[in-house]
Amino acid sequence: MRIGHIVWWSICVIFVTVTACTASMEKVETGVEVIAVQNSDSPLPIDLKDIVDSIEYVILETTDSCLLSDILCAKRDGDFYFVRDTKGLYVFDREGRFLNEISNRGPGPEEYIYLDNFYLDRDKKQVCLILSAQKRILRYDYRGKYIGAYTIEDGSSGFSCARVDNAGNLIVYYPLCNEGNKRNNGYGLLRLNNDEIPISAESLLSGIEISTENIYYPFLHYPIAQLGNGYFLVSALSDVLTFYQPDSTLRAYRVNIPHIAPDKEFLSRYSDVDFFELSDILKDKNIGRGITAVETANPYLFLSIDNKTSLIWDGQEAVWVSAFYDSDLNRYTQLVLSGGISDEHWGFYPADFLCEHKDGFRKKFGPSVTWIDKLTEEDNPVIFKYHFNPNLIAKLNMKKRT
């Protein structure tokens, strides 16, 4: 199947109000509040049908100039989809038609040696490439035209993820430190200026002082998510979320699920071991690795707990859920890490998987869905986004009682 297009299953329109999560919660220590989880003793088993009203699919066009390998990340802004795979970064239109590749590998001033990641400046309509080794951020318009580059100072480069805040600053996440990068894991803030002046990062939030020795390991792949006019930040090996708003005091929220993360005393006791050895110790002692990803689908906040289960919070109530089961496809999926919750991280299905499960998709969508029959194993992946039940927490609470 060569031509891209967009498909909806069980289309519904949801109107919600943008609000930050500001519910009154129990204070547990100075500056930290609790996200109370009523079923904190055990996660709730759920089926995809329990939480999702509709799924939006985009069939990415397959062309000789765009044959995607494994997708690493897919984002959307308006009529544009940006898909990064192991070979490069590509842009598609609203129907999934291939438009262009964003930059390419090479030694030139508009090229990259290695692409660490990318982010979207949605106000300026720019797609920005993070190049840690070159200490630069290359900027292009949404159709791939080169605009310019930011230069990053030596001590401020090395971040693996970035997000533009609503004041035009850049929130950056630094991976765990290693022999090549001694900077402590945590967050910085880049106040973007013109292309001529190297940019230095201000410290925004400290991280843990633990090394991965000679291995580069970001650990957190979805560490930043926006909700309303603020941003939630995840810290490595922690059960605490930090809420950031430009020019405001940071706020902290702790998830009250027992043993999901090591406490400060535990980390201090094992401060002389590297991250991977510490992970083995945590596993042996049945202690989790904390909150490992954050996503938002207004008005809900979704947290990955130790890459295994998920927490869903609406600012008032929180429900802990297991990896969800898709009964039509007979598969379990970790809700947050699989993608599909927000425009920052669309999920995807490889074409060969879809071809293998055509009967399941026919069962899910009925005879009106014809694109699945036209798909071949050699086609590009299909990306998707969930649209959640507007009464999601109430529905999950009802399920807990049954």
Side-chain angles (χ1 to χ4, degrees), residues 221-238:
H221 295 285
Y222 300 172
I224 308 169
Q226 181 177 4
L227 191 60
N229 60 354
Y231 302 81
F232 283 94
L233 313 178
V234 176
S235 297
L237 300 182
S238 175

Side-chain angles (χ1 to χ4, degrees), residues 338-356:
S338 64
I341 291 179
S342 75
D343 279 341
E344 274 295 298
H345 299 106
W346 279 58
F348 72 94
Y349 288 124
D352 56 353
F353 171 85
L354 293 174
C355 289
E356 182 182 349

Side-chain angles (χ1 to χ4, degrees), residues 173-185 208-220 236-237 271-279 289:
Y173 166 74
Y174 292 93
L176 302 175
C177 63
N178 55 51
E179 292 178 358
N181 179 17
K182 300 298 184 180
R183 184 183 180 110
N184 288 340
N185 159 257
I208 59 172
E209 296 185 11
I210 187 169
S211 173
T212 54
E213 301 296 337
N214 61 347
I215 299 174
Y216 173 83
Y217 189 56
F219 181 51
L220 302 177
L237 300 182
S271 60
D272 59 337
V273 304
D274 68 37
F275 173 82
F276 301 104
E277 184 179 352
L278 180 61
S279 292
R289 294 183 297 172

